[in-house]
Amino acid sequence: MSTFKKQQNGIFPSVCPLDCPDQCGLLLHKTDGKITRVQGDPNHPVTKGNICNKVRNMPERIYDSKRLTTPLKRTGPKGSGQFEPITWDEAIESIASKWKNLIASEGPESILPYSFYGNMGILSAEGMDRRFFHRLGASRLDQTICSVAGSVGYKYTMGGSFGIDPEDTIHSKLIIFWGINAVSTNMHQVALAQKSRKNGAKIVVIDVHKNRTGILADWFIPILPGTDSALALGLMNLLFEEGLADLEFLQEYSIGYQELREHVKQYDPHTVAAITGIPVDDLKELAALYGTVSPSFIRIGNGLQHHDNGGMAVRTIACLPAITGHWIVKGGGAIKGNSGYLAHNTAAVQRPDLLENKETRVINMNQIGSALLDLKPPISSMFVYNCNPAVVAPEGNKVRKGLEREDLFIVVHDLFLTETASYADIVLPATSSFENTDFYTSYWHKYTQIQEPVIEPYGESKSNPDVFRLLAEAMGFQDDVFTDSDEEMIEQAFHYPANSYIEDIDLQALKENQFVKAKNTPLFPGRLPTPSGKIELYSKKMEEDGYPALPTYIPLPADGDHPFLFVPGPNHNFLNSTFSNNDKHIQLEKTPQLHINSRDAAELNIENGEMVRIWNNRGECLLQASIGENVLSGVAVTQGLWADLPGTKQLVNVLTPDRVADMGGGATFFSGRISIEKIQ
């Protein structure tokens, strides 16, 4: 038992488990065995004691009266939320018995795990569960709902998820937040930017919506959705034309700049202005700013990659710091993600060698609705954890129709009876991160952190690794890998000579220090993990994979004949569907709104605050109109995944397409189109 658990009172180190790049260091205040306060750890080198409302209010979530305390068995129709308590023995036996029968009659691929990163702990998200489902031979889930398109695109240019150290951005003199509402989703990058601004830096925000980050900016540049690569190419053209390219850097550290220089001539300012909605004068001013202010830093966000052309957009933007040579100046360069620095031994943790059939089918999580309804042979059972697909997955009506199948045996492991859990046959209560042993690797800063249990498991809840140890035993799996402790798995993760950045990180170092930084070796001079070892402005690998070798603007495809581009972005107080069921967070956000341009509202005879219906061939929503100049004409934006409460129609993912992006099978949430009308 953890010594933290034994102590009834005190202050204990911790880490935020939410799917957020900041991954804050925390201090948990405990009184009479319960967490009473969550405080930021002032000793964390990046987050420095500052935390957001989401994690600050975590005690209310942990001790919420709606939290599950015991396994449940469905007693009413799917979706009715009618359950009765059962024991863990009964739950595990029911699951194992059903799966043994399915494997015998339909094969192991009839079973599908469906999960993501509702808890960012590595063991909770991709540890014993992966071992279990590999050994079971279940269908494999392609976890592509978040950042994969941009990660693949960035990798073509830079070789992997490597950017500058966020701590160095206090030296930046120009900071461009591109497609990221950082105030709501990367607050400590904003804090670093504010420090830079006190030293004379300028903050530019490029986005489809003037959100909290746009309001913060010195200069907000609105852009039409899905045109980001055209803007980047237009900037490259101007940088070359105006003599602002660093030819010496390009010669030494890149390949293909001559071809790129010729290629971008077609992206002249007037052409790019027509595509992006950004005036010619603004394009020229932005290029001059980026080409003359050093060091300049681009924070590339998740938003712009959620388009059909999202991978290419990120690949293109990633080329910009090479044109100007900003990479070799402290505080210059870009960050899409930095997970490459903290790459650990995933094979040791997940044990893919346990999967006997290497041709086991792979199902894209963005298309789960279609898979549940149309896939042959069918999915006959789902195990859902760390995720809420009934709200989060695109084509929401299709997803729910699939979940309603009476012949689909569903198990959900969660803290709450979520929208997805209401369709389950068996629901299992999950521990919070503060009840577990786990380790965390940020995908923005360079620190890995450990979580040791601070409180006892809530009710009869169990951790993800413990559930899969029980299931492995019930299925008769005798492999030693299912008896590894959580601490043993952490030790295995950091035995990874292939990544020299983490050679000083292990279990003992984490226990002694709480957080440990990857080696801070600069990218340049050095060899990148691209085929050439350099920044690949021209990528032969892309050509081999069927893409243009040079960055190229590819327009969004048609999505019906609806007039408005629809972007359902995140809001400030929810994290996907997490916290959307919490009264305090709902009160902070007030009500779901549709942001539209005043010119469009006038044409549709809609006044601010009126209710509107938005629809396409996939579904409809009823939302409150917010009218102004925060979006360009022809664009409609919502914020947050609001709980689909009875009597409402506010689930925006009923409108989003389940097409996959150009790279990595990524999501295309932001490439849908809608119609809008006032509700009479």
Side-chain angles (χ1 to χ4, degrees), residues 216-248:
L216 169 88
D218 297 302
W219 184 17
F220 173 69
I221 303 174
I223 186 173
L224 288 171
T227 66
D228 304 272
S229 53
L231 173 56
L233 290 159
L235 294 176
M236 292 180 206
N237 175 44
L238 287 165
L239 291 168
F240 281 120
E241 286 291 317
E242 299 300 322
L244 298 175
D246 187 337
L247 300 182
E248 186 176 334

Side-chain angles (χ1 to χ4, degrees), residues 183-241:
V183 169
S184 298
T185 65
N186 192 188
M187 62 175 282
H188 294 91
Q189 185 64 78
V190 174
L192 292 165
Q194 293 282 43
K195 286 186 178 181
S196 301
R197 182 148 67 176
K198 288 179 181 178
N199 293 322
K202 187 168 187 174
I203 298 174
V204 175
V205 173
I206 303 168
D207 213 324
V208 301
H209 176 218
K210 193 172 185 179
N211 46 42
R212 290 174 185 245
T213 310
I215 293 169
L216 169 88
D218 297 302
W219 184 17
F220 173 69
I221 303 174
I223 186 173
L224 288 171
T227 66
D228 304 272
S229 53
L231 173 56
L233 290 159
L235 294 176
M236 292 180 206
N237 175 44
L238 287 165
L239 291 168
F240 281 120
E241 286 291 317

Side-chain angles (χ1 to χ4, degrees), residues 274-510:
I275 294 171
T276 63
I278 300 172
V280 168
D281 288 346
D282 287 354
L283 293 171
K284 291 180 177 179
E285 183 180 347
L286 180 59
L289 196 64
Y290 187 68
T292 58
V293 177
S294 180
S296 289
F297 160 62
I298 303 174
R299 178 65 171 101
I300 307 172
N302 264 8
L304 54 91
Q305 73 183 342
H306 285 158
H307 288 291
D308 294 82
N309 58 12
M312 183 63 84
V314 173
R315 181 273 195 277
T316 305
I317 296 167
C319 295
L320 279 168
I323 308 301
T324 52
H326 288 312
W327 282 113
I328 58 173
V329 186
K330 194 168 189 177
I335 297 175
K336 162 63 175 71
N338 272 329
S339 59
Y341 295 108
L342 293 171
H344 57 275
N345 193 340
T346 55
V349 176
Q350 300 179 17
R351 297 299 301 268
D353 57 296
L354 295 170
L355 181 64
E356 290 187 7
N357 177 15
K358 304 306 180 187
E359 302 301 316
T360 295
R361 68 182 178 182
V362 178
I363 296 169
N364 188 306
M365 70 185 306
N366 294 308
Q367 299 178 319
I368 186 60
S370 296
L372 290 175
L373 294 175
D374 304 325
L375 195 65
K376 303 297 181 187
I379 299 167
S380 296
S381 179
M382 282 179 69
F383 191 107
V384 181
Y385 55 104
N386 287 340
C387 195
N388 186 12
V391 172
V392 173
E395 288 255 28
N397 285 333
K398 194 184 289 186
V399 174
R400 294 187 179 206
K401 187 175 180 181
L403 294 173
E404 288 171 356
R405 281 176 39 203
E406 281 297 333
D407 62 338
L408 177 67
F409 179 71
I410 302 174
V411 181
V412 174
H413 184 215
D414 208 302
L415 282 74
F416 296 94
L417 194 66
T418 63
E419 290 86 349
T420 304
S422 71
Y423 294 92
D425 296 278
I426 301 290
V427 180
L428 306 175
T431 50
S432 73
S433 65
F434 302 148
E435 299 154 43
N436 301 336
T437 297
D438 215 328
F439 75 101
Y440 291 76
T441 58
S442 171
Y443 51 89
W444 169 63
H445 61 65
K446 294 186 175 183
Y447 292 85
T448 188
Q449 303 175 75
I450 192 169
Q451 174 69 62
E452 296 183 87
V454 175
I455 54 176
E456 297 287 347
Y458 187 84
E460 297 178 25
S461 60
K462 294 185 183 296
S463 71
N464 181 285
D466 282 346
V467 167
F468 286 104
R469 291 185 184 103
L470 289 174
L471 285 169
E473 182 180 5
M475 295 298 294
F477 298 163
Q478 302 297 315
D479 314 69
D480 291 341
V481 298
F482 297 111
T483 62
D484 286 345
S485 70
D486 296 336
E487 290 194 348
E488 286 172 332
M489 293 177 74
I490 296 174
E491 288 179 327
Q492 293 161 10
F494 288 104
H495 181 67
Y496 194 47
N499 183 9
S500 61
Y501 290 111
I502 64 167
E503 60 186 22
D504 296 331
I505 304 177
D506 58 22
L507 178 64
Q508 182 178 350
L510 287 169

Side-chain angles (χ1 to χ4, degrees), residues 571-590:
N571 66 20
H572 194 70
N573 291 291
F574 304 167
L575 205 165
N576 295 322
S577 67
T578 304
F579 302 107
S580 67
N581 66 337
N582 181 276
D583 291 339
K584 175 179 278 190
H585 291 262
I586 292 171
Q587 289 170 8
L588 289 169
E589 284 295 330
K590 297 179 181 174

Side-chain angles (χ1 to χ4, degrees), residues 152-171:
V152 173
Y154 191 88
K155 184 176 181 180
Y156 279 126
T157 301
M158 297 295 295
S161 189
F162 301 98
I164 67 170
D165 187 340
E167 293 175 86
D168 286 345
T169 62
I170 59 171
H171 303 290

